[in-house]
Amino acid sequence: MSATAFENLSTPVRQDRDTFVWQVPEGWQQGRGVFGGLVLAALVRAMEEAVESESPLKLRTITATLCGATVPGEATIEIEFLRLGSNTTTLAAKLVQGGEVRTHIVGLFGKDREVGELGDWKTLKAPELPWHEELPIAPMKPPLAPMFTQFMNFQPTSHFPFSGGDELKSLGWVRVKHPGKDRGAAYIAAHADAWWPTMLATLDSFRPLATVTFTLEFFEDFDMENLDAPMIHRAEAVASRGGYFAEFRELWSADGRLLALNQQTFCVIK
């Protein structure tokens, strides 16, 4: 198992203003393609580098469609500025392999706004679960778990995949084993995609699923004073029809701050 930092593995190399090249690493597979969170992280890093040369804005939301499997090898990331503004900038990025778009993402970057009496607020409360140092690390081993899970620590307090659980919810701690120094938007986006779909915990046999759409809103920054802390994952599947189902996910910092909200649409492959 390679100990190369996740930050390095997910950083594409810029070729010009609008083009990046990314060497998709071997060993991070999730079925035929690589882990979707790794792909999203690379696209986020490309967008952030493209925007930083234009204006000092912060990534607020991403909306992605995972059109097809990204496989190990060289990939091209192409950036398109949809609107460049003084307060908000919107751009798209697409990852291309074999002449096909494998993932397409739109990112909204924006400045902090003067909100006055509206203030900052949330109605969600941080999950209550045992401290991560009190929980064992789940034994995630292929072929029962995707290959990429060997590079991550999962500490669930809910049901494991294919355990015949009785609820469409999941909860636990999650962290990549070798993150590197970065704990920004790319790091958070990857972790939002890391956990298994909650529906798998209600099954008693294997069924392959895939994320087809992914939306993420960023709220707070990672606690940079505690770089080794995992994040809290909480999710609930809410509806299913025709082989597609929607799941709402949350990521919380170890000190109880809401980092991101995520909605994913999964499809049943077979």
Side-chain angles (χ1 to χ4, degrees):
M1 181 176 70
S2 171
T4 302
F6 180 83
E7 179 181 1
N8 297 333
L9 292 173
S10 60
T11 299
V13 177
R14 194 170 195 171
Q15 304 297 298
D16 54 42
R17 179 180 180 270
D18 302 325
T19 308
F20 294 76
V21 170
W22 180 39
Q23 297 299 326
V24 184
E26 183 70 49
W28 283 78
Q29 282 89 329
Q30 183 178 16
R32 186 169 67 89
V34 299
F35 166 45
L38 179 66
V39 175
L40 293 168
L43 286 161
V44 166
R45 294 193 197 283
M47 289 195 300
E48 287 184 321
E49 184 171 345
V51 167
E52 283 178 4
S53 65
E54 305 291 342
S55 57
L57 304 178
K58 183 178 179 179
L59 184 59
R60 304 291 175 170
T61 69
I62 58 173
T63 302
T65 301
L66 288 81
C67 313
T70 298
V71 297
E74 185 172 295
T76 301
I77 296 175
E78 302 173 6
I79 301 292
E80 177 186 4
F81 282 85
L82 304 179
R83 181 183 182 275
L84 183 61
S86 58
N87 291 313
T88 60
T89 286
T90 305
L91 67 159
K94 59 183 179 182
L95 184 147
V96 180
Q97 272 188 327
E100 295 181 344
V101 177
R102 304 298 175 94
T103 300
H104 183 276
I105 187 171
V106 174
L108 173 69
F109 292 75
K111 292 182 178 179
D112 284 338
R113 304 296 181 116
E114 294 293 335
V115 296
E117 62 185 12
L118 293 176
D120 295 332
W121 55 272
K122 61 179 179 292
T123 59
L124 295 170
K125 293 184 179 180
E128 296 182 2
L129 72 170
W131 189 243
H132 61 91
E133 294 176 348
E134 301 172 5
L135 293 171
I137 295 173
M140 309 293 287
K141 296 182 179 181
L144 297 179
M147 191 180 298
F148 85 90
T149 60
Q150 300 305 290
F151 299 101
M152 305 195 73
N153 287 338
F154 296 90
Q155 296 171 282
T157 61
S158 56
H159 292 290
F160 284 87
F162 319 121
S163 60
D166 57 359
E167 61 179 5
L168 292 166
K169 297 181 180 180
S170 59
L171 182 65
W173 298 90
V174 61
R175 187 181 82 95
V176 70
K177 292 180 180 179
H178 306 288
K181 296 181 180 180
D182 175 70
R183 300 293 189 279
Y187 183 77
I188 291 173
H191 284 78
D193 193 47
W195 208 272
W196 51 87
T198 58
M199 183 176 286
L200 291 182
T202 68
L203 304 178
D204 55 16
S205 61
F206 178 74
R207 291 292 300 272
L209 307 174
T211 301
V212 290
T213 63
F214 180 102
T215 300
L216 188 68
E217 290 82 31
F218 301 93
F219 285 96
E220 296 215 33
D221 295 329
F222 191 87
D223 178 11
M224 298 303 289
E225 295 183 0
N226 190 4
L227 292 180
D228 291 331
M231 287 177 274
I232 299 171
H233 161 99
R234 178 167 65 184
E236 181 176 6
V238 294
S240 176
R241 185 173 186 270
Y244 296 82
F245 68 95
E247 181 168 306
F248 296 145
R249 296 184 169 195
E250 305 161 18
L251 277 181
W252 296 79
S253 66
D255 58 351
R257 294 175 298 109
L258 179 63
L259 298 175
L261 292 175
N262 174 224
Q263 178 177 332
Q264 294 193 40
T265 302
F266 295 93
C267 72
V268 179
I269 297 175
K270 59 182 177 179

